[in-house]
Amino acid sequence: MKTKIIKIDPLKEIEISLPSNILKRGGLVAFPTETVYGLGAYAFNEESVRRIFEVKGRAQDNPLIIHVSEFKMMQEIGIVPEKYEKVIQKLTPGPITFVLKKRKNIPKVVTAGLNTVGVRIPAHPVANKLCKETGPIAAPSANLSGKPSPTDAKAVIEDLNGKIDCIIDSGSTPFGLESTIIDLSGDKPLILRPGPITVEELKEIFGEIEIPDFIIKGAHVKTPKAPGMKYKHYAPDKPLFMFFKDDREKIIKILERENGVVICPKENVRYYPENRVIVIGMLEKPYSIAQNLFRVLRSFDKSEFDVGYIEAFEESGILFSVMNRLKKAATIWR
Ligand code: AMP
Ligand code: MG
């Protein structure tokens, strides 16, 4: 299949009819959002949604998020509890997904058979306009399953060129980390995935909120609440280790012998041999670390180095969400 690659500048007037028509006719389109690139199908076309799973090599029991352009469309996909209407409207559009009890007409293939559905209103002007013109779009991240999520069109092309109908290239995604997921279908709000909207912010907004154990530990769980949680994720092909400050000296000693490279924030580059460091952003601007994370993991895979050692981060704010991804992508050293 020949994949159409089209450039759309999100800051100029957005002409979306071509990719929107592809979706309406049952095709697959990769598009930018403010989190990562998504691989979209029209949510009510079961055949197209099924192709998303095929193309990505994604397990059938891992549900997709439905993307919509506005709150009214969200209410047509899931049942929004009245007590949460105001907060949802305050947090949207934005990098946060709400798990709601699903409406009857949502295809089973989208929700992996669950009676709940994940819904998000993206703020990215290209994604939002695509949903507005097309209607609800089911979309996971536009990478092959298990690979680091794509934060630019180059990464999407690497994984999916020739396998889907169209890729929209709008440059790098602003947050670079998948959406925060919060489950509002039960008695208490429950955080299913930390993301750009931080746990601290959620606590302030929702007051009482549950953070399950698997998020704090970041371990793979066997019978997960959200099926996505049991799969290996975000990992480069080469071995990647995460280490803590106390082990810095030991890591420096083995770097040369193992042809290793350290991935660290700019502030800490000075500790390492200058030809064996990849910079991942600045501690002073923690969102820059989230933004660069997946791109750096992909570039490490393509580098001349054989083993990666990434510094662990302090688990607060956006770096708590970064650490959640790293615990799945890397093996803890020692
Ligand atoms: P991705 O877009 O590739 O990050 O995948 C979407 C993720 O959203 C899945 O891996 C699930 O963890 C989560 N998700 C989507 N729908 C639901 C749902 N109904 N219940 C719980 N988690 C969900
Ligand atoms: Mg994904």
Side-chain angles (χ1 to χ4, degrees):
M1 169 185 287
K2 174 128 178 69
T3 302
K4 223 181 234 114
I5 298 170
I6 56 173
K7 274 198 193 302
I8 299 182
D9 185 341
L11 299 176
K12 293 194 178 138
E13 200 178 330
I14 294 163
E15 178 41 74
I16 209 78
S17 56
L18 187 139
S20 176
N21 285 332
I22 293 176
L23 287 169
K24 286 176 191 162
R25 285 196 303 256
L28 300 190
V29 175
F31 60 96
T33 80
E34 70 270 39
T35 58
V36 302
Y37 274 73
L39 175 60
Y42 179 57
F44 292 104
N45 186 329
E46 294 186 39
E47 198 42 50
S48 314
V49 174
R50 226 167 264 126
R51 271 193 57 223
I52 289 182
F53 287 85
E54 260 169 48
V55 162
K56 280 184 58 96
R58 184 178 176 101
Q60 303 279 335
D61 63 352
N62 192 358
L64 308 181
I65 292 168
I66 296 187
H67 295 69
V68 297
S69 62
E70 54 173 346
F71 185 70
K72 225 176 77 206
M73 215 191 274
M74 179 181 275
Q75 288 176 310
E76 287 161 19
I77 303 296
I79 296 159
V80 179
E82 214 182 304
K83 60 176 170 181
Y84 295 130
E85 272 181 21
K86 276 223 171 74
V87 256
I88 292 180
Q89 276 166 324
K90 202 175 135 201
L91 286 164
T92 57
I96 181 161
T97 297
F98 303 98
V99 170
L100 306 168
K101 291 208 174 85
K102 79 175 192 85
R103 301 263 177 210
K104 280 207 183 68
N105 58 341
I106 307 302
K108 268 198 180 127
V109 55
V110 173
T111 62
L114 297 173
N115 57 7
T116 55
V117 60
V119 196
R120 178 158 103 81
I121 309 176
H124 193 291
V126 174
N128 197 279
K129 191 150 184 199
L130 191 62
C131 295
K132 197 180 171 108
E133 283 225 5
T134 312
I137 298 172
S141 50
N143 54 319
L144 294 175
S145 266
K147 297 265 174 220
S149 297
T151 56
D152 53 29
K154 204 174 111 227
V156 181
I157 291 168
E158 248 168 47
D159 282 12
L160 301 178
N161 196 22
K163 296 181 178 151
I164 61 176
D165 301 273
C166 176
I167 296 171
I168 303 177
D169 179 355
S170 298
S172 297
T173 56
F175 286 106
L177 208 62
E178 303 88 344
S179 62
T180 301
I181 303 181
I182 181 162
D183 186 346
L184 299 179
S185 69
D187 297 339
K188 261 194 231 162
L190 182 68
I191 299 177
L192 295 182
R193 178 169 75 187
I197 308 291
T198 64
V199 173
E200 290 87 341
E201 286 169 311
L202 292 174
K203 277 186 180 158
E204 202 161 300
I205 294 164
F206 286 93
E208 207 181 2
I209 192 161
E210 230 178 293
I211 312 174
D213 236 22
F214 64 80
I215 284 187
I216 293 164
K217 295 200 188 98
H220 298 201
V221 280
K222 238 177 150 192
T223 23
K225 166 100 181 155
M229 287 153 190
K230 73 180 175 195
Y231 301 105
K232 190 184 145 184
H233 253 102
Y234 323 116
D237 293 327
K238 292 178 182 173
L240 178 70
F241 295 93
M242 175 162 67
F243 68 96
F244 293 85
K245 232 186 13 255
D246 289 351
D247 288 323
R248 186 176 279 148
E249 292 308 317
K250 289 185 202 151
I251 298 294
I252 293 170
K253 279 200 187 109
I254 59 174
L255 271 185
E256 197 77 36
R257 188 176 73 225
E258 302 208 332
N259 189 27
V261 67
V262 171
I263 302 169
C264 70
K266 195 162 176 223
E267 288 91 339
N268 294 346
V269 163
R270 62 198 166 97
Y271 294 113
Y272 307 104
E274 62 179 348
N275 57 341
R276 293 194 179 274
V277 214
I278 300 176
V279 176
I280 192 178
M282 289 173 82
L283 288 173
E284 201 193 322
K285 293 184 182 151
Y287 276 85
S288 69
I289 292 170
Q291 199 195 13
N292 290 323
L293 173 70
F294 291 129
R295 185 181 51 77
V296 162
L297 293 187
R298 279 178 183 260
S299 74
F300 156 60
D301 251 345
K302 281 182 269 172
S303 73
E304 74 265 38
F305 303 108
D306 296 324
V307 189
Y309 295 93
I310 187 162
E311 282 190 359
F313 298 99
E314 206 169 295
E315 296 189 65
S316 69
I318 186 67
L319 294 181
F320 178 82
S321 310
V322 168
M323 282 293 281
N324 170 266
R325 308 304 190 272
L326 273 180
K327 286 174 187 170
K328 297 178 193 188
T331 308
I332 298 190
W333 199 74
R334 273 281 151 89

